[in-house]
Amino acid sequence: MTYETIIVEKRGRVGLIVLNRPESLNALNEAMMVELGRALDAFESEANIGCIVITGSERAFAAGADIKEMQGKVFPATYRDDFIGNWDRVTRTRKPVIAAVSGYALGGGCELAMMCDFILASPTAKFGQPEITLGIIPGAGGTQRLTHAVGKAKAMEMCLTGRNMDAEEAERAGLVSRIVASGDLVEEAIRTAEKIADMSMPAVMMAKESVNNAQEMSLTAGTRTERRLFHSLFATADQKEGMAAFAEKRSPQFKHK
Ligand code: HXC
């Protein structure tokens, strides 16, 4: 498959997607989001891929939705065509997706990173929802996912003022899982993805589903669903292998990858 706005590579069992519109700091336009969806579809259906990494450049993960493309839009068409309705494709990916963020992750860029399962950031990362400075509000989950990630106070301040968070503040607040040295960010994200891709895939996918349930379900429903998923894993050969390997003091060789 050929792509114009992203670079797509396979690194062993890891699918790597690099946002690639350097002239606009990876501003997310419709073409890029369609290509991102196609790349995710391809990795989802490829049995040999166990985890996906999305990254940008050193200077920008993505500086937001493409303002120049949005500028002329009018309400009836945005509503009729459900503008950005297809941008949540990442959230429907069942395999894990890691965001590796260096530089700007603003507006839709911050929202895209937050749609991933977790964010690794370089010390240069800057997260923000500057939409308010353009006379709009976040439209791809920013007011919701940022609030879940960092709490109401910080999310509200960021959405009302457009203030950015640097990597350290983002890590303290729980928006990013870890800060990784700039030059090593993508390789560390790939190493982390390889580690995940080496686990039993049904267990990985159920863990992802169950953690995500924490944002959607009550504690009672979430823990009951978790327990049922946990029970179901005892039907897999990988549970037998994982526990036998522990008892025999060796590394497990999982079959369901
Ligand atoms: C279109 C963009 C862009 C964007 C940067 N560029 N961000 N083009 N849409 N979101 C372009 C600039 O116009 C410029 O093009 C080139 O990228 C380099 O940017 P500069 O501004 O010259 O770089 P710098 O001075 O380093 O400033 C970096 C920056 C600034 C602070 C990130 O570019 C900026 O504020 N960008 C906009 C950030 C923003 O408001 N994002 C939210 C968008 S709204 P030229 O041709 O001049 O060289 C949004 C809505 C989401 O995301 C809701 C639905 C998804």
Side-chain angles (χ1 to χ4, degrees):
M1 246 182 273
T2 56
Y3 298 97
E4 288 180 359
T5 60
I6 57 177
I7 298 166
V8 178
E9 286 174 23
K10 277 182 250 174
R11 300 279 194 94
R13 291 181 41 79
V14 177
L16 176 66
I17 300 174
V18 183
L19 308 177
N20 187 37
R21 296 186 71 218
E23 68 288 354
S24 60
L25 301 182
N26 290 332
L28 307 169
N29 63 3
E30 195 53 37
M32 188 192 263
M33 297 315 281
V34 168
E35 290 195 342
L36 180 61
R38 276 173 41 210
L40 290 170
D41 285 341
F43 284 148
E44 265 299 60
S45 60
E46 192 164 330
N48 199 34
I49 293 292
C51 192
I52 298 161
V53 172
I54 302 180
T55 194
S57 67
E58 293 247 339
R59 201 169 157 215
F61 177 76
D66 190 319
I67 299 169
K68 294 163 194 169
E69 192 178 77
M70 274 188 300
Q71 193 177 1
K73 287 194 182 293
V74 292
F75 168 72
T78 56
Y79 183 79
R80 182 196 59 212
D81 302 340
D82 196 20
F83 172 50
I84 70 170
N86 60 336
W87 284 33
D88 64 353
R89 172 65 188 82
V90 174
T91 65
R92 283 180 276 109
T93 307
R94 296 177 67 229
K95 292 176 181 173
V97 186
I98 303 172
V101 174
S102 191
Y104 296 110
L106 303 180
C110 186
E111 292 172 307
L112 176 62
M114 291 191 294
M115 286 180 211
C116 298
D117 295 310
F118 60 92
I119 302 174
L120 296 179
S122 85
T124 64
K126 288 176 205 63
F127 298 89
Q129 299 291 163
E131 287 89 342
I132 200 78
T133 66
L134 300 168
I136 56 170
I137 68 170
T143 62
Q144 306 302 297
R145 290 195 182 89
L146 189 62
T147 308
H148 278 291
V150 305
K152 179 184 165 185
K154 276 184 190 291
M156 188 68 92
E157 187 198 351
M158 288 169 74
C159 290
L160 294 184
T161 67
R163 171 177 89 78
N164 292 346
M165 248 190 210
D166 64 17
E168 280 196 8
E169 185 180 2
E171 188 192 28
R172 270 200 315 276
L175 179 60
V176 312
S177 65
R178 268 190 296 139
I179 299 177
V180 178
S182 284
D184 197 33
L185 176 71
V186 176
E187 289 312 314
E188 176 58 17
I190 290 171
R191 279 193 293 275
T192 306
E194 275 169 350
K195 195 172 183 178
I196 294 169
D198 225 25
M199 307 291 178
S200 173
M201 262 307 109
V204 163
M205 291 167 74
M206 287 186 201
K208 167 171 171 159
E209 185 180 339
S210 199
V211 172
N212 281 333
N213 281 344
Q215 302 211 326
E216 309 276 353
M217 289 182 171
S218 69
L219 184 60
T220 305
T223 50
R224 190 187 310 119
T225 308
E226 176 194 74
R227 199 162 63 249
R228 298 295 172 238
L229 292 172
F230 169 76
H231 292 158
S232 73
L233 288 168
F234 285 80
T236 65
D238 285 345
Q239 173 267 329
K240 302 288 174 284
E241 168 60 10
M243 294 192 182
F246 174 80
E248 292 159 19
K249 300 187 189 300
R250 59 175 175 82
S251 300
Q253 298 298 318
F254 292 124
K255 272 194 355 205
H256 301 301
K257 290 201 204 165

